[in-house]
Amino acid sequence: MEKQYITIGLHDGHLEMQVLVGTRNNKKEAESIARSPRYHIAYLDNEKLKFKNKNLVIRKEQTDQYQFRICLDESKTHVTDDDYKDISWDEAIQSLIDDRDGNISFPFPLESYYYSILEYNPVADFQKVQI
C-alpha cells in the first residue's frame, strides 16, 4: 500500500495552517491518527507550534512540515483555493497581531477544523512551488 500523509488544518478566523502530523502505510491507521483529539488544539508562537498533547512540536525552520495561508475574502459563504494567499510564518504571526490591534498573547491557540489523508505530501509540494 502507498504511504499515507496525514495533515491537520488549524485555524483562527481567516488564518489557516496545514501541518503534516505523520505518515502511515495503512489507511485505517492514518484515519485513526487524523481523528485523534490530540490534534484538536495547538499553540503557536514566534518560533514553534506545539500541539496540546505536547508530543508534536513543529519548529519555524521545519518548512517541510507546515504551510500557512490566509483567506482574502471572509465575506464569502463558500471559499475555494483561489480565495487564499500563501504566507510565511512571520506573516501569519503579524496577521494575528494586526487582527487584534496588538492585543494578543503568545502562545496563541489554534483549533483544528479538518484533516486530510493523501498519497502525496501536500506540504512538500507546496514548498517546491514556493522555491
Side-chain angles (χ1 to χ4, degrees):
M1 175 174 245
E2 296 272 332
K3 185 182 278 192
Q4 307 291 306
Y5 293 86
I6 308 158
T7 64
I8 300 294
L10 301 166
H11 81 107
D12 179 74
H14 62 289
L15 177 68
E16 176 183 297
M17 181 182 193
Q18 184 178 33
V19 180
L20 179 66
V21 296
T23 61
R24 289 293 183 270
N25 289 329
N26 178 304
K27 187 153 184 145
K28 196 170 214 131
E29 285 180 26
E31 286 181 16
S32 175
I33 290 167
R35 290 183 178 153
S36 170
R38 66 182 154 183
Y39 298 115
H40 287 196
I41 296 177
Y43 299 94
L44 179 69
D45 67 32
N46 289 325
E47 299 299 323
K48 67 184 175 298
L49 174 84
K50 184 185 284 189
F51 280 88
K52 187 176 182 180
N53 71 1
K54 298 178 178 59
N55 291 334
L56 180 60
V57 176
I58 305 293
R59 301 205 180 282
K60 180 180 176 179
E61 60 272 8
Q62 293 176 287
T63 57
D64 60 338
Q65 300 293 309
Y66 69 88
Q67 65 187 29
F68 281 101
R69 62 188 198 158
I70 194 161
C71 184
L72 300 173
D73 186 355
E74 292 181 76
S75 68
K76 290 184 173 183
T77 55
H78 179 73
V79 293
T80 66
D81 283 339
D82 293 336
D83 295 314
Y84 286 90
K85 175 185 173 192
D86 299 327
I87 61 174
S88 70
W89 189 292
D90 291 335
E91 290 170 320
I93 295 291
Q94 191 59 51
S95 173
L96 289 170
I97 293 168
D98 292 347
D99 285 351
R100 288 156 185 80
D101 295 324
N103 188 16
I104 187 172
S105 62
F106 290 98
F108 186 82
L110 298 174
E111 294 183 32
S112 67
Y113 74 111
Y114 75 84
Y115 69 85
S116 63
I117 300 168
L118 304 165
E119 291 182 0
Y120 65 93
N121 182 345
V123 177
D125 290 347
F126 166 79
Q127 296 301 328
K128 288 177 193 171
V129 170
Q130 295 301 304
I131 295 176

